């Protein structure tokens, strides 16, 4: 079957660094994406990894290890506006569709 | 401005009524998707379409129907057969270049449907 696992909640302090992990089990794995969703809003794309290693985009970085079926999203210099839910999503080669995880709710304290 | 529009933002219906949610995109994307999101949950795929006049069932298609007569439009009908239709519905689109398509999905603002 297919499954994605990520922590349901994470709390961090403003200005700190936080890592959100994602493990997956799926056939036809092609890549791992991350999306951010604020309460009541639509998900927005953050990053995509098809190859092993770290991809950096400003304060956000994403990592993938295909051999471990594992990835993470790293958020640095946390700001209050980063409080949101973060979803990892697996892209499969069998079709143009993405499987989303259940999301990690990130709460940031001053 | 390119993007995806969904209307209405909030929708209220009585049980037993069919309701159609609108989704329009002007991004010239081939692929379009409908997701359902329940409180505190991830996104579950209802239907997707990779080209005009073609669509495929997702993981939770029962009680829903779609059409794709135009590239820009992918309306979703929630039928009376859907047992628990109250949810947040999100439409998305993406390009389909390459073997596995375009990895970035663009989402509309969503429609919050309440059925009583």
């Amino acid at each position: 079957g297919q499954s994605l696992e990520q922590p349901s909640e994470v709390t961090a302090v403003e200005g700190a660094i936080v890592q959100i992990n994602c493990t997956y089990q799926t056939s036809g794995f092609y890549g791992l994406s991350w999306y951010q969703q604020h309460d009541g809003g639509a998900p927005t794309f953050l990053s995509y990894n098809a190859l092993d290693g770290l991809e950096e985009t400003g304060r956000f970085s994403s990592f993938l290890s295909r051999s471990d079926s594992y990835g993470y999203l790293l958020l640095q210099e946390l700001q209050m506006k980063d409080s949101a839910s973060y979803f990892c999503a697996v892209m499969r080669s069998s079709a143009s569709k993405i499987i989303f995880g259940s999301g990690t709710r990130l709460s940031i304290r001053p | 401005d390119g993007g995806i529009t969904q209307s209405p933002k909030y929708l209220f219906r009585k049980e037993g009524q069919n309701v159609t949610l609108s989704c329009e995109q002007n991004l010239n994307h081939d692929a379009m998707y409908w997701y359902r999101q329940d409180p505190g949950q991830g996104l579950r795929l209802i239907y997707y379409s990779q080209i005009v006049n073609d669509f495929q069932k997702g993981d939770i298609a029962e009680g829903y129907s779609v059409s794709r007569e135009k590239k820009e439009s992918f309306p979703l009908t929630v039928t009376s057969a859907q047992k628990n239709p109250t949810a947040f519905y999100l439409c998305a689109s993406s390009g389909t270049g390459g073997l596995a398509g375009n990895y970035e999905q663009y989402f509309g603002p969503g429609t919050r449907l309440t059925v009583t």
Side-chain angles (χ1 to χ4, degrees):
Chain A
Q2 306 159 57
S3 67
L4 289 94
E5 299 219 359
Q6 53 181 130
S8 58
E9 293 185 34
V10 172
T11 301
V13 177
E14 191 176 14
I17 299 173
V18 72
Q19 178 174 312
I20 299 173
N21 298 320
C22 175
T23 57
Y24 59 87
Q25 188 173 21
T26 185
S27 58
F29 175 84
Y30 200 79
L32 187 71
S33 300
W34 288 91
Y35 287 78
Q36 178 193 60
Q37 185 181 30
H38 287 99
D39 283 347
T44 57
F45 173 82
L46 292 177
S47 68
Y48 174 72
N49 295 69
L51 303 175
D52 286 357
L54 192 67
E55 296 279 344
E56 298 180 63
T57 309
R59 295 187 297 114
F60 294 2
S61 303
S62 57
F63 172 83
L64 175 65
S65 168
R66 295 174 70 106
S67 60
D68 294 324
S69 298
Y70 163 76
Y72 66 72
L73 179 69
L74 190 73
L75 296 84
Q76 303 181 70
E77 299 171 22
L78 286 170
Q79 301 175 10
M80 297 303 292
K81 67 178 182 180
D82 297 329
S83 293
S85 292
Y86 293 85
F87 295 89
C88 60
V90 164
M91 180 150 192
R92 299 173 59 208
S93 58
S94 58
S96 292
K97 64 175 183 175
I98 297 176
I99 311 297
F100 284 84
S102 298
T104 298
R105 187 173 187 86
L106 174 62
S107 299
I108 298 172
R109 297 181 284 113
Chain B
D1 258 298
I4 301 180
T5 56
Q6 291 185 245
S7 61
K9 190 170 177 65
Y10 298 94
L11 191 55
F12 298 88
R13 280 293 184 270
K14 294 289 187 186
E15 196 174 313
Q17 294 179 332
N18 291 356
V19 59
T20 298
L21 311 184
S22 164
C23 177
E24 305 277 331
Q25 56 100 357
N26 60 3
L27 299 166
N28 200 32
H29 283 163
D30 288 314
M32 296 187 74
Y33 310 80
W34 273 106
Y35 294 93
R36 171 186 172 133
Q37 187 174 35
D38 293 287
Q41 302 292 314
L43 282 69
R44 292 185 291 167
L45 183 66
I46 304 172
Y47 269 98
Y48 67 102
S49 168
Q50 293 181 271
I51 56 172
V52 175
N53 292 322
D54 184 60
F55 48 83
Q56 307 293 330
K57 292 182 179 179
D59 302 315
I60 55 165
E62 187 175 345
Y64 300 97
S65 65
V66 294
S67 62
R68 187 88 187 275
E69 297 176 2
K70 298 187 299 181
K71 186 175 186 177
E72 308 78 35
S73 179
F74 192 41
L76 172 76
T77 297
V78 184
T79 75
S80 57
Q82 169 49 235
K83 298 302 178 194
N84 186 18
T86 294
F88 187 43
Y89 291 88
L90 286 157
C91 179
S93 71
S94 70
T96 54
L99 176 65
N102 188 312
Y103 51 80
E104 181 175 352
Q105 293 200 343
Y106 295 78
F107 285 84
T111 292
R112 199 166 296 276
L113 174 65
T114 302
V115 176
T116 57

